[in-house]
Amino acid sequence: MALAGIAARVREYPVAAILELGSVLVCLLLFAGLFVLLLNGVPTGRGDPWLALIGVGVAFVLFWTALVPLYERTL
């Protein structure tokens, strides 16, 4: 698919494009964050960075498995 075709689709469905591109970005950040935390070793104390990573992952999963289907059902 040509770049012009991709741009036309993004203009046609801007909200969907933002959601999909945002999802890719969140997945990449979660993946990178996991490896950064693994390189730092086992958490000591409360492990706040690990809790933050888990919290972002949980919010991401809840968004796609609960909120998006609920929104689509109301359409």
Side-chain angles (χ1 to χ4, degrees):
M1 178 180 275
L3 188 58
I6 294 172
R9 284 204 153 170
V10 168
R11 273 185 253 121
E12 187 176 355
Y13 302 106
V15 175
I18 290 169
L19 285 174
E20 294 295 332
L21 293 174
S23 294
V24 170
L25 182 64
V26 168
C27 288
L28 291 174
L29 290 175
L30 285 170
F31 191 67
L34 174 67
F35 279 105
V36 167
L37 289 175
L38 286 173
L39 289 174
N40 288 336
V42 177
T44 57
R46 288 183 49 185
D48 288 338
W50 283 96
L51 291 175
L53 184 77
I54 291 167
V56 170
V58 166
F60 180 72
V61 168
L62 284 176
F63 175 76
W64 279 109
T65 59
L67 295 178
V68 170
L70 183 64
Y71 172 74
E72 288 176 349
R73 203 171 263 204
T74 61
L75 292 178

